Amino acid sequence: MNRRQLWRGGHLVTLQEKQGWGLVPDGVLITEGDHLRWVGPLADLPPTLCQGLTAEHDLQGALVTPGLIDAHTHLVYGGERSAEFELRLQGASYEDIARAGGGIRSTVAATRAASEADLQVAADARARTLMAEGLTTLEVKSGYGLSLEEEAKCLRVARRLSSLGLTVRTTFLGAHALPPEFDGRADDYVDAVCAWMPRLRDEGLVDAVDAFCERIAFSPAQTRRVFETARQLGLPVKLHAEQLSDQGGAALAAEFQALSCDHLEFVSDDGIQAMARSGTVAMLLPGAFYFLRETRLPPVAALRAAGVPMALATDHNPGSSPGLSLLLMLNMACTFFRMTPEEALRGLTVYAARALGLPDRGQLVAGQRADFCVWDAAHPRELAYYFGRNPRRATVIGGRHAG
Ligand code: NIG
Ligand code: FE
């Protein structure tokens, strides 16, 4: 049976138009099963929709936003890298550490040494921390296994996070770093990544394919080969692009109609124009910017002027962004990147959904999924204003209370 529920007394933040919060002060949501059947002011509620209700909820004037979406994480890994943090504080750079065999490689060793069950316990705890601040949809990348078996292990762990009630999308990031057994043979490793892709896809473990295009990772030519294989398999692509240097990765990804280009501190004007033409989302990651103490800002004003949609995510990972707070990302996107609070919230909802190719969520409009958060706040800009304070009262995922 399709449960029809009424949620009254909400201060709705619908984000339904291209601009503006879309506020509905005395708002009602009617959910039917896992979808929103009707959204609007109490005064306009059609009486027929109130027939056959299975439950009624009073939101008591609380703020209601679309559920938050973390569309870029590396949530499944073993170990931690606080010693590397100390080294960086003493002056070593992220690139120095990577070139010396630390960085991603050290997490690969710890991840390979961890059992699937242990990785699950750690990943579950991280996902629950994100859920405490309103997470309803989560993307998780592989990239710390770097062999067929180890990548599959991590992707299975990621997929099982859906048992927490979330929607989970998994991204194959085999081209994240060169594993030690392929030292000096990057092209052979890219061949291997391409060969694993159909197997992982056939096991139902891959929704999208990502790569790290950077001087300490893979070249544009190698990235192109990964993307060509993904295209043959019908898998959408995204890219870690222009994080530490301009490699022309954004333009390359746009050529493949990438869902998103992520980081982008060093993206060029050509890259921005290419993204605008292909409708690729700019995924900005203030946690990594902050934690690596970057000084080069992503070109937010130019992205805005070009009409490139901007999303935000935690980029949670043990090396460049060990944070697990979506609300802090809202705050940092405003303070560091000069995004408006409205742009920041859109970045964790509407445009995060777009970066995952999920058009059924991110706004409070009839027909979308009934994923929403209830907050103890009078105005949505407060979500970006506070930091270290969690005003979440409740989360509803697919029409069900999720805590
Ligand atoms: O998004 N840039 C590459 N990947 C991660 C960092 C991974 C790591 O350092 O373990 C990122 O920043
Ligand atoms: Fe990342």
Side-chain angles (χ1 to χ4, degrees), residues 178-245:
L178 197 61
E181 60 275 19
F182 278 88
D183 255 342
R185 296 189 296 130
D187 282 318
D188 291 349
Y189 180 64
V190 171
D191 288 344
V193 165
C194 293
W196 303 334
M197 216 185 287
R199 303 257 309 262
L200 295 168
R201 197 252 342 231
D202 292 349
E203 286 176 38
L205 293 173
V206 183
D207 297 309
V209 173
D210 196 346
F212 187 16
C213 183
E214 192 53 73
R215 51 195 178 203
I216 52 166
F218 296 93
S219 68
Q222 289 161 342
T223 302
R224 177 181 289 278
R225 285 206 285 133
V226 172
F227 282 178
E228 276 167 354
T229 306
R231 180 152 70 187
Q232 281 160 20
L233 295 171
L235 292 168
V237 300
K238 28 185 66 235
L239 188 65
H240 282 72
E242 277 67 284
Q243 179 184 11
L244 308 169
S245 63

Side-chain angles (χ1 to χ4, degrees), residues 72 74 81 94 104 144 176 212 240 243 263 315 317 319-320:
H72 180 142
H74 309 248
R81 308 230 295 268
Y94 182 76
I104 295 174
Y144 292 122
H176 193 199
F212 187 16
H240 282 72
Q243 179 184 11
H263 290 286
D315 189 19
N317 74 76
S320 70

Side-chain angles (χ1 to χ4, degrees), residues 327-402:
L327 294 174
L328 184 58
M329 297 307 125
L330 291 179
N331 179 267
M332 293 202 293
C334 298
T335 52
F336 288 142
F337 294 172
R338 291 285 184 260
M339 289 170 76
T340 67
E342 184 199 318
E343 284 175 326
L345 186 65
R346 282 177 184 277
L348 282 184
T349 53
V350 189
Y351 296 131
R354 194 177 295 181
L356 295 179
L358 294 173
D360 64 344
R361 64 197 69 201
Q363 294 159 300
L364 297 180
V365 295
Q368 288 226 325
R369 271 182 63 84
D371 290 358
F372 53 90
C373 296
V374 183
W375 308 95
D376 184 11
H379 192 281
R381 65 182 164 238
E382 290 176 36
L383 299 176
Y385 160 71
Y386 290 107
F387 55 98
R389 170 182 183 261
N390 182 2
R392 189 189 66 107
R393 270 195 207 167
T395 304
V396 173
I397 307 182
R400 290 177 191 280
H401 262 290

Side-chain angles (χ1 to χ4, degrees), residues 116 145-156 196 199-200:
E116 193 160 334
L146 309 186
S147 71
L148 178 58
E149 294 70 29
E150 293 293 328
E151 289 286 290
K153 176 175 89 173
C154 293
L155 289 166
R156 282 193 300 270
W196 303 334
R199 303 257 309 262
L200 295 168

Side-chain angles (χ1 to χ4, degrees), residues 43-88:
D44 296 353
L45 178 64
T48 48
L49 280 181
C50 297
Q51 286 159 15
L53 291 174
T54 53
E56 286 191 45
H57 312 265
D58 186 358
L59 298 168
Q60 299 175 319
L63 198 77
V64 183
T65 66
L68 302 188
I69 300 171
D70 197 349
H72 180 142
T73 81
H74 309 248
L75 207 79
V76 177
Y77 58 87
E80 50 81 27
R81 308 230 295 268
S82 55
E84 182 180 306
F85 174 50
E86 284 185 326
L87 286 176
R88 285 197 297 101

